[in-house]
Amino acid sequence: AVEARRKELFGDSPFEGVHLRLGDGAAGTAFRPGTVPTTDRRMTVDGAVSVMRCLASAGSSPVFVATDNARLKAAILAGKRGGGGGGGSGGEEVALRRSGGGGLVLPPALAGRFRAQGCADCMVNPVFQHNFTRESVQDIFVEMVMLAHSRCFHHASSNFATTVLALAPPGACHGHYAAGRCGRCECSTS
């Protein structure tokens, strides 16, 4: 499943990977504060766009996006199909805009560079929902393995990112981003 999806999205071309943790409106955890350690940090849509702009300006490779935000994922999927864009000033447009239906539209400068897979409407934050379909769970694992085998995996601190890094082969490269800035990609020597 992973190799077929990689070929579908990128052919034989190398790609970067990024995990953008936004949530779908869940403001916290299902656990009482202070009862479990938290490493996940959520960002805003503006923060996600800043990271996307940074990655787009840092290179020319396509970027695979794993996100738990249904509207952002839908915008990326629509851009991949050619339905995104949204007009505006081309490469100078820097933010997602809301479409008439409450969705998001990627700026043209980003629409062609970022790719996602799977469904967007199945991405519900697990704070609110715990019964995912088998296909949704499989998509999460496909995303993790694709990120682990990307040329460079860009991430913030999260349990998801820690799992992806554990799946990565020896010598895998990754970059940590914070405050909307993408970090330098570093490769392990082991």
Side-chain angles (χ1 to χ4, degrees), residues 24 67-70 73 119-125 132 136 140 143:
D24 273 341
T67 183
D68 60 350
N69 186 273
K73 188 169 186 180
C119 65
D121 59 352
C122 62
M123 301 303 296
V124 177
N125 194 296
F132 296 102
S136 297
I140 293 167
E143 289 179 352

Side-chain angles (χ1 to χ4, degrees), residues 114-148:
F114 293 86
R115 316 244 171 89
Q117 63 97 37
C119 65
D121 59 352
C122 62
M123 301 303 296
V124 177
N125 194 296
V127 170
F128 296 131
Q129 177 178 322
H130 300 281
N131 299 320
F132 296 102
T133 66
R134 181 182 177 122
E135 293 79 18
S136 297
V137 173
Q138 182 181 13
D139 277 348
I140 293 167
F141 284 99
V142 167
E143 289 179 352
M144 286 180 159
V145 174
M146 286 188 60
L147 291 171

Side-chain angles (χ1 to χ4, degrees), residues 3-84:
E3 184 62 17
R5 194 58 53 88
R6 186 191 66 72
K7 287 270 191 193
E8 174 189 331
L9 292 172
F10 304 105
D12 291 324
S13 300
F15 62 95
E16 304 280 315
V18 65
H19 176 232
L20 299 172
R21 173 88 164 95
L22 285 81
D24 273 341
T29 174
F31 300 102
R32 190 174 73 232
T35 60
V36 294
T38 57
T39 58
D40 289 330
R41 299 289 179 255
R42 296 189 188 146
M43 61 180 16
T44 64
V45 171
D46 288 340
V49 170
S50 293
V51 170
M52 292 171 75
R53 284 190 65 230
C54 180
L55 293 173
S57 68
S60 59
S61 296
V63 180
F64 177 72
V65 178
T67 183
D68 60 350
N69 186 273
R71 293 186 312 149
L72 178 59
K73 188 169 186 180
I76 293 166
L77 291 169
K80 176 183 167 276
R81 290 189 297 267

